[in-house]
Amino acid sequence: MKKENQTPTMKDVAREAGVALGTVSKVVNGLPVGYSYRKRVEDAIKKLNYQVNTYAQGMKAGKTYTVALLIPNARDPFFASLIYYINIALSRQKYRMLLCSTDFNPSLEQEYVNMAQFNKVDGIIGLTYNPDLIVEEDTPFVAIDRPIGSRFPCVASDNFAGGQLAAEKFADLGCRHVAFLRTGSSLNNETNKRRSGFENGCLARGLSYEMKILNDDEPYALFEEFLMEHAREGKFDFDGIFCVTDRLAYLVMKSLKKLGLRVPEDVQVIGFDGIRHFGDADYVCSTIVQPAQEIAEMCVELLVHESLSMKPPLVCLPVTYAYGGTTKDPEAEQKGDNP
Amino acid sequence: MKKENQTPTMKDVAREAGVALGTVSKVVNGLPVGYSYRKRVEDAIKKLNYQVNTYAQGMKAGKTYTVALLIPNARDPFFASLIYYINIALSRQKYRMLLCSTDFNPSLEQEYVNMAQFNKVDGIIGLTYNPDLIVEEDTPFVAIDRPIGSRFPCVASDNFAGGQLAAEKFADLGCRHVAFLRTGSSLNNETNKRRSGFENGCLARGLSYEMKILNDDEPYALFEEFLMEHAREGKFDFDGIFCVTDRLAYLVMKSLKKLGLRVPEDVQVIGFDGIRHFGDADYVCSTIVQPAQEIAEMCVELLVHESLSMKPPLVCLPVTYAYGGTTKDPEAEQKGDNP
DNA sequence: TTGTATGCGTTATCAT
DNA sequence: ATGATAACGCATACAA
């Protein structure tokens, strides 16, 4: 990568316009300048195609107009969606976005946080997994999904309500005996809320339910076993399965197929996240949709707006239900969507 | 976003260590410094938790250690994959990545390119759609998929070979009459190569073929019409359909289902791109896989390495075929994958 | 070998 | 209202 040739600087503009450096600065920053001077400067700027150097500007101001987004992995569809919307929200506020893939690596997460603290970025939006992440008090930081300490705001979906919603949908769709399947790190409180909400909803609507909860390090095969055990003699014990993510729902559906069970005829499935085929086509399954756009906008809002006075510790954004072919929604019967 | 408190500077380290500013700089940059001095400086650095300010450093050097990635949309799975691998490749080279979503907007694309030229980033990797994009000669730029002028290298999949490969697969799998379906902007030469390669392969293997080519602004419904016309009286004219992208293949498969045609029993489908469910699970359809990782690494290589002497104008990377449930691959029959 | 001085592009504080 | 000058944090040519 070779070095740039000279791009015009304020000094060049000043020389071209025959004015002093400070005058150019004032014009650029919209401070009062006599008309004839302003005109000459503006002409010179156009002629030289001048543009302020944001880094030099930032060095003076102690700002970089850059925000780092820490996220495990850009390929995951939910994370990709977050990246997409956060990017849009930031550029609307004239901020650049530095993408930092952490790959679930705690030490990488810490490294990026350190970078931010040394004035390299103005703030961080982080979806991190390091429970011991150290963030200086005065570093602008907004967490997604996992609260970091108690000093920084955290934005998440209303996971409890999402669990409830799933149970209610099952009840509305005629289910009686349902199951909840979850995997994931046990220190992730937010997905635990999905479970609690679901339990709560089942109780409220008189559904009997069973849970199967796995840790990250346990193999998926255990779920398949669980399903098999409940499929003795051609009859399946559940008429509804709530999966903690769409990804898990996808795997579960493959297992059900192996068992000769039809979705949604024999058993209905609801996932969580709101993943769509190709990012924006139809839903991969009936699901509780996380409001990715709202989450993104809230994060940026909290980070950028200096209404620092009272940052809420935890913001829960409302989730919605979406039909995706794996439930028996009456109004969706005729549509050929979602095989 | 509030301003940072003071982070330690070189001056602070120098004062702490009782040495001169330049000495600290030398230690930081690994230049020869007497042992006792070096030791004192290193201790001071640790004590103050000092870290160089990359922006100030960059202002001196005229480098920012930042590369901008221009890409239409982070949600698209193929783009997301590219983002993922480019991010990894860049950070291995100690470069940061600025993500610039262009949303297919030509003027936004131009804006980001301008930003780069004004010394805000050291280089650009761009997957752009603006045919009139103006890039200064001396701006380090690497294009993906669409050549920009003739002065910048372009990295792409070997689309021609991909088309050929699809035709050969169809032939191997027993097809006789196949179709090619394509949509997309007509100025995208690379996807045209897929067509040419496919034609070439069909000719070589004695397959009869038909093409249906749509422009971006034409509705998908025209494809459905095309398929319907070829499905008269319970018989379908084609036993294989090659779609220019996996996304299109997905839509086509839905249409085929509507027509009562089974995939792969009645008609086999091959897509292009290598999209996987959830980014890393199984393929959404049998497909010609673009080597996203290799593309990413090649882009970074070309951008970063100062072997500027002879930049190749167009680098074509090899594609592969992957089974994804929509073809009758013999060795894959027993697998329950990809419904 | 170590310290000093200058400049990168910008903004802000002064005199004028 | 405008122009000169210092300072931001760092690297480097040059002096000690």
Side-chain angles (χ1 to χ4, degrees):
Chain A
M1 209 166 331
K2 56 190 162 177
K3 261 184 212 157
E4 307 292 306
N5 68 345
Q6 293 319 344
T7 72
T9 129
M10 265 194 181
K11 208 186 282 180
D12 299 322
V13 175
R15 195 183 320 111
E16 176 70 29
V19 302
L21 194 59
T23 310
V24 178
S25 176
K26 281 169 197 156
V27 171
V28 168
N29 293 43
L31 299 175
V33 172
Y35 176 76
S36 65
Y37 283 81
R38 145 160 284 124
K39 180 87 181 84
R40 273 155 63 201
V41 170
E42 281 168 350
D43 289 347
I45 285 178
K46 269 197 199 91
K47 179 172 173 196
L48 298 179
N49 197 14
Y50 166 81
Q51 190 169 303
V52 308
N53 180 325
T54 329
Y55 287 121
Q57 203 171 36
M59 200 177 91
K60 274 299 292 179
K63 288 196 70 172
T64 59
Y65 297 97
T66 305
V67 166
L69 174 60
L70 270 57
I71 207 148
N73 176 339
R75 279 163 84 190
D76 177 278
F78 180 62
F79 295 153
S81 193
L82 240 25
I83 292 172
Y84 174 77
Y85 286 116
I86 290 176
N87 199 200
I88 290 174
L90 281 174
S91 58
R92 253 205 295 269
Q93 306 276 355
K94 303 294 173 207
Y95 276 86
R96 307 193 201 81
M97 189 180 98
L98 226 43
L99 184 62
C100 308
S101 286
T102 60
D103 200 25
F104 300 100
N105 179 336
S107 70
L108 245 184
E109 291 179 352
Q110 185 67 62
E111 203 173 297
Y112 282 123
V113 169
N114 290 345
M115 175 182 98
Q117 285 165 192
F118 289 102
N119 246 332
K120 273 65 185 185
V121 300
D122 291 349
I124 308 178
I125 299 174
L127 176 20
T128 58
Y129 285 80
N130 183 343
D132 309 315
L133 199 66
I134 298 167
V135 185
E136 298 274 327
E137 178 100 37
D138 54 2
T139 301
F141 189 103
V142 175
I144 301 178
D145 257 13
R146 279 156 208 71
I148 299 295
S150 53
R151 313 181 305 274
F152 303 109
C154 174
V155 179
S157 294
D158 191 340
N159 287 298
F160 189 86
Q164 283 182 309
L165 185 52
E168 281 166 21
K169 272 293 157 187
F170 276 146
D172 291 345
L173 295 169
C175 293
R176 303 292 309 153
H177 309 287
V178 296
F180 172 75
L181 266 39
R182 162 184 168 315
T183 184
S185 92
S186 48
L187 38 83
N188 182 343
N189 300 308
E190 292 305 313
T191 59
N192 275 327
K193 289 187 189 168
R194 296 181 192 172
R195 180 186 57 70
S196 312
F198 188 66
E199 269 189 283
N200 181 292
C202 287
L203 258 24
R205 298 292 296 261
L207 296 180
S208 76
Y209 63 89
E210 201 160 326
M211 312 240 153
K212 180 68 181 176
I213 297 190
L214 255 45
N215 282 323
D216 262 340
D217 50 353
E218 297 181 278
Y220 172 77
L222 294 178
F223 277 133
E224 202 157 75
E225 261 176 40
F226 172 82
L227 295 173
M228 216 161 351
E229 284 166 11
H230 286 271
R232 304 188 185 287
E233 304 168 28
K235 274 291 282 177
F236 193 52
D237 294 344
F238 308 115
D239 46 18
I241 301 183
F242 177 42
C243 300
V244 74
T245 62
D246 290 342
R247 184 175 216 124
L248 179 57
Y250 176 76
L251 295 173
V252 164
M253 279 154 53
K254 292 214 292 187
S255 297
L256 292 173
K257 197 178 181 185
K258 273 198 222 167
L259 293 172
L261 292 164
R262 293 165 306 162
V263 175
E265 293 82 353
D266 299 324
V267 51
Q268 304 185 62
V269 173
I270 295 182
F272 205 110
D273 278 350
I275 306 300
R276 294 158 177 264
H277 282 117
F278 299 96
D280 55 7
D282 36 35
Y283 292 99
V284 298
C285 60
S286 294
T287 182
I288 307 300
V289 183
Q290 294 208 54
Q293 182 170 4
E294 285 74 15
I295 291 175
E297 285 168 356
M298 181 60 73
C299 286
V300 172
E301 183 78 7
L302 289 173
L303 202 60
V304 166
H305 270 25
E306 314 242 4
S307 58
L308 30 79
S309 45
M310 237 294 281
K311 297 235 182 188
L314 176 60
V315 181
C316 284
L317 268 15
V319 296
T320 53
Y321 166 82
Y323 169 73
T326 60
T327 45
K328 295 193 261 191
D329 299 43
E331 73 278 10
E333 285 301 277
Q334 77 288 1
K335 300 208 299 188
D337 288 353
N338 299 80
Chain B
M1 209 168 326
K2 57 189 157 175
K3 262 186 216 155
E4 307 291 305
N5 67 345
Q6 291 321 345
T7 71
T9 124
M10 266 194 181
K11 207 185 285 179
D12 299 321
V13 175
R15 196 183 319 110
E16 175 71 29
V19 302
L21 192 61
T23 310
V24 179
S25 176
K26 281 168 196 156
V27 171
V28 168
N29 293 43
L31 298 176
V33 173
Y35 177 76
S36 66
Y37 283 81
R38 145 158 286 123
K39 180 88 183 87
R40 273 156 63 200
V41 170
E42 281 168 351
D43 289 347
I45 285 178
K46 269 198 199 91
K47 178 172 174 195
L48 298 179
N49 196 15
Y50 167 80
Q51 189 169 303
V52 308
N53 181 324
T54 328
Y55 288 118
Q57 202 172 36
M59 201 175 91
K60 272 301 290 178
K63 289 196 69 170
T64 58
Y65 297 95
T66 304
V67 167
L69 174 59
L70 270 56
I71 206 149
N73 175 339
R75 279 164 83 192
D76 177 278
F78 180 62
F79 295 153
S81 193
L82 240 25
I83 293 172
Y84 174 75
Y85 286 116
I86 290 176
N87 198 199
I88 291 174
L90 281 175
S91 58
R92 253 205 296 270
Q93 307 276 357
K94 303 295 175 206
Y95 277 85
R96 307 194 201 82
M97 189 180 98
L98 226 41
L99 184 62
C100 307
S101 285
T102 60
D103 201 24
F104 300 100
N105 179 336
S107 70
L108 245 183
E109 292 177 352
Q110 185 66 63
E111 203 172 297
Y112 282 122
V113 169
N114 290 344
M115 176 182 95
Q117 286 164 190
F118 289 101
N119 246 332
K120 273 64 185 186
V121 299
D122 291 348
I124 308 178
I125 299 174
L127 175 18
T128 59
Y129 285 80
N130 183 343
D132 309 315
L133 198 66
I134 296 166
V135 184
E136 298 275 327
E137 178 100 37
D138 53 3
T139 301
F141 188 102
V142 175
I144 301 179
D145 258 13
R146 277 157 210 71
I148 298 296
S150 54
R151 312 181 304 275
F152 303 109
C154 174
V155 179
S157 296
D158 192 341
N159 288 298
F160 189 87
Q164 282 183 309
L165 185 52
E168 281 165 20
K169 273 293 158 190
F170 276 147
D172 291 345
L173 295 169
C175 292
R176 302 291 309 152
H177 309 287
V178 296
F180 172 73
L181 266 39
R182 164 186 166 315
T183 184
S185 91
S186 49
L187 39 82
N188 182 344
N189 300 306
E190 292 304 314
T191 59
N192 274 327
K193 290 187 188 169
R194 297 180 190 172
R195 179 185 57 71
S196 311
F198 188 66
E199 270 189 284
N200 182 292
C202 287
L203 258 23
R205 298 294 295 261
L207 296 179
S208 76
Y209 63 88
E210 201 160 324
M211 312 239 153
K212 180 67 180 177
I213 298 191
L214 255 46
N215 282 323
D216 262 342
D217 50 353
E218 298 180 277
Y220 171 77
L222 293 179
F223 277 133
E224 202 156 76
E225 260 176 42
F226 172 82
L227 294 173
M228 216 163 348
E229 284 166 13
H230 286 272
R232 304 191 184 287
E233 304 168 27
K235 276 289 284 176
F236 193 52
D237 294 342
F238 308 114
D239 45 19
I241 300 182
F242 177 41
C243 299
V244 75
T245 62
D246 290 342
R247 185 174 215 124
L248 180 57
Y250 175 76
L251 295 173
V252 164
M253 280 154 55
K254 293 215 291 187
S255 297
L256 291 173
K257 196 176 181 187
K258 272 197 221 167
L259 292 172
L261 292 164
R262 293 164 306 161
V263 175
E265 292 83 355
D266 300 325
V267 51
Q268 305 186 60
V269 173
I270 295 182
F272 205 112
D273 277 352
I275 306 301
R276 294 157 177 265
H277 281 117
F278 299 97
D280 55 7
D282 36 35
Y283 291 99
V284 299
C285 59
S286 294
T287 182
I288 307 299
V289 184
Q290 294 207 54
Q293 182 170 5
E294 286 73 17
I295 291 176
E297 285 167 358
M298 180 59 71
C299 286
V300 172
E301 183 77 8
L302 288 173
L303 202 61
V304 167
H305 271 24
E306 313 240 7
S307 57
L308 30 79
S309 45
M310 238 291 284
K311 298 236 184 187
L314 176 60
V315 181
C316 284
L317 269 15
V319 297
T320 53
Y321 167 82
Y323 169 73
T326 60
T327 44
K328 294 192 262 190
D329 298 41
E331 73 278 12
E333 286 299 275
Q334 77 287 3
K335 302 209 300 190
D337 286 353
N338 299 77

